[in-house]
Amino acid sequence: MANIESLINRAESILERLSAYLPSIQQDVDWNALAWRWQIMNGRGCLQAVPHPHQIKLEAICNVDAQKAEVVRNTAQFVSGFPANSVLLTGARGTGKSTLVKALLSEFAKDGLRIVEVEKQDLVALPEIVSLLRARPERFIIFCDDLSFEATDPGYKTLKVVLDGSIATTSDNVVVYATSNRRHLMPEYMAENLETQYVGEEIRPGETSEEKVSLSERFGLWLSFYAFDQDEYLTVAAYWLSEYGIAEMNDEVRRAALTFSLTRGARSGRVAYQFARDYAGRQALANQKSAS
């Protein structure tokens, strides 16, 4: 009896290990959703619907009007069935890169736009994801947030193939929008400068540097975001305060906003939003206490 139980346990262990190498079986996808995440469940990938996607209006994103106009134009081309590019948004943290991509859903969902969020570690599944989306009538943005790679990351080359195509063409109803604090997406090292060649007055970077730049170059549209100055920060803070019912940015509120940014060591749209939530919450609590 003990031998039979031991054999059963060994067989279950072997089957569990083999399951990781079996072809992925795609679960039924809720195509009525507006957004999905690629999730790994029991060793297999699937599109998991996001029941409550973060929908924010484009007008809530301040001080990046030029970048916003370019992203909206490119997305309008895309949802209209015209040629459009994949987009790389890089620059200072908290300046609205990710929020801008999310806001596109509010603007273009009625035109068939949908978003699939894919984490960096799951980029190796991009060909599988694209194959699932290829036959759909909707237009899909594959959204990769806070993207950066180490030299050994397997998703690096997979993303290059999806952006530029391999022997199979890319899908016309799929583009990639990625955000990153790095423009070249991969770390650069001092030793790589030793590969640089000087031919007359011409500088030719080494193969390692060229390889690292090649991923960024596959995005047809590059947009840079910059840290806010004081006035820009206060403008965003005033916008979010008005959303919480505080219409006036008087001297007291202004000082509080600047003090808050000093404690965070940054002036950005994210910090301005966090200040507005903090200040509005404090005011609401103080009013509640005084009323009671």
Side-chain angles (χ1 to χ4, degrees):
M1 192 69 177
N3 289 337
I4 294 175
E5 289 181 357
S6 176
L7 285 172
I8 292 173
N9 290 335
R10 288 178 62 189
E12 287 177 346
S13 175
I14 292 170
L15 286 172
E16 186 176 340
R17 277 183 254 173
L18 286 174
S19 66
Y21 298 95
L22 294 174
S24 175
I25 300 174
Q26 175 64 35
Q27 299 179 359
D28 290 337
V29 180
D30 178 11
W31 293 114
N32 294 317
L34 297 179
W36 299 264
R37 289 191 184 95
W38 183 256
Q39 300 276 18
I40 304 299
M41 302 175 66
N42 299 322
R44 297 186 173 97
C46 65
L47 288 174
Q48 186 73 37
V50 178
H52 305 290
H54 183 195
Q55 295 196 43
I56 185 170
K57 296 179 180 178
L58 282 168
E59 53 264 31
I61 305 170
C62 306
N63 300 327
V64 289
D65 292 343
Q67 297 93 325
K68 181 164 60 174
E70 284 292 280
V71 171
V72 169
R73 174 193 58 76
N74 189 73
T75 308
Q77 291 172 204
F78 177 58
V79 297
S80 299
F82 302 138
N85 279 307
S86 291
V87 183
L88 178 61
L89 303 92
T90 65
R93 65 187 189 276
T95 49
K97 301 184 295 294
S98 302
T99 306
L100 179 53
V101 178
K102 296 171 187 175
L104 296 172
L105 197 58
S106 299
E107 184 73 12
F108 293 105
K110 63 183 183 300
D111 301 312
L113 183 69
R114 302 292 184 264
I115 291 181
V116 177
E117 186 173 12
V118 181
E119 300 290 341
K120 182 184 73 170
Q121 66 270 17
D122 296 325
L123 288 175
V124 291
L126 278 180
E128 183 180 354
I129 296 170
V130 172
S131 69
L132 288 170
L133 306 179
R134 184 184 295 274
R136 296 294 307 174
E138 300 88 355
R139 314 291 286 181
F140 296 92
I141 290 175
I142 292 179
F143 176 40
C144 307
D145 194 21
D146 197 19
L147 194 61
S148 64
F149 296 99
E150 298 303 325
T152 57
D153 286 340
Y156 167 70
K157 291 187 177 179
T158 307
L159 181 56
K160 285 174 65 174
V161 169
V162 169
L163 287 170
D164 226 15
S166 58
I167 192 168
T169 60
T170 55
S171 181
D172 288 337
N173 69 334
V174 175
V175 290
V176 177
Y177 283 19
T179 69
S180 178
N181 294 330
R182 292 179 183 168
R183 188 176 184 185
H184 289 161
L185 301 181
M186 295 187 71
E188 299 177 54
Y189 302 105
M190 187 68 70
E192 292 164 7
N193 290 331
L194 299 176
E195 299 178 10
T196 303
Q197 298 179 5
Y198 302 92
V199 182
E201 296 184 357
E202 183 182 356
I203 299 175
R204 296 181 182 176
E207 291 183 359
T208 304
S209 298
E210 289 288 341
E211 171 68 12
K212 290 184 174 181
V213 173
S214 68
L215 176 57
S216 299
E217 287 183 341
R218 281 169 164 79
F219 289 89
L221 187 60
W222 289 6
L223 297 170
S224 298
F225 290 67
Y226 305 98
F228 291 176
D229 62 26
Q230 180 173 293
D231 290 339
E232 290 171 334
Y233 165 73
L234 291 172
T235 298
V236 180
Y239 173 87
W240 285 114
L241 285 169
S242 67
E243 290 290 298
Y244 289 113
I246 302 174
E248 184 182 1
M249 173 70 86
N250 56 32
D251 289 342
E252 177 190 345
V253 179
R254 188 174 183 274
R255 283 194 298 271
L258 293 176
T259 300
F260 189 89
S261 70
L262 288 174
T263 64
R264 299 302 303 273
R267 289 192 295 257
S268 68
R270 180 183 295 137
V271 173
Y273 172 70
Q274 291 167 345
F275 162 73
R277 287 179 62 87
D278 180 75
Y279 188 85
R282 287 171 183 264
Q283 293 297 108
L285 184 61
N287 292 338
Q288 183 186 64
K289 288 181 177 179
S290 63
S292 60

